[in-house]
Amino acid sequence: KIAVLEARPLAESFRDLAEPGHVLRNDPASGVSLVACGEGALELVRCRDGSGREYHPGREWRSIRLRLGLRAEDMAWLLAGGAG
């Protein structure tokens, strides 16, 4: 799990066929990662991991195959009452 601490929305359209949550680009120089959304994209600037460590995703994430979001299996478990 990650917490997004700082992000900027981008309203521009992309020719990429990525699903929402797919990482489109990682920029080690700025530390920003670009993530596809339902409309446009989101620049992730600063995040926190499960241990509380803060980081810049563009410097940490190496792959654009990464997809953020809840997996369908996890959502089904939560909807079935698995969280309580």
Side-chain angles (χ1 to χ4, degrees):
K1 292 183 179 183
I2 67 166
V4 176
L5 303 176
E6 185 179 348
R8 295 183 291 258
L10 294 178
E12 59 192 74
S13 61
F14 294 89
R15 301 185 111 184
D16 201 308
L17 298 176
E19 293 287 323
H22 273 127
V23 175
L24 301 172
R25 180 174 48 234
N26 293 309
D27 183 2
S30 69
V32 171
S33 287
L34 187 65
V35 178
C37 295
E39 292 183 23
L42 192 62
E43 287 184 326
L44 298 184
V45 179
R46 210 166 37 97
C47 296
R48 181 182 308 130
D49 66 18
S51 70
R53 182 181 67 89
E54 293 184 17
Y55 62 96
H56 296 277
R59 293 188 182 122
E60 299 261 335
W61 300 344
R62 299 290 179 237
S63 176
I64 59 170
R65 294 180 185 207
L66 181 65
R67 180 161 183 209
L68 307 178
L70 199 57
R71 296 179 317 159
E73 296 85 5
D74 294 337
M75 180 60 87
W77 180 77
L78 289 171
L79 292 172

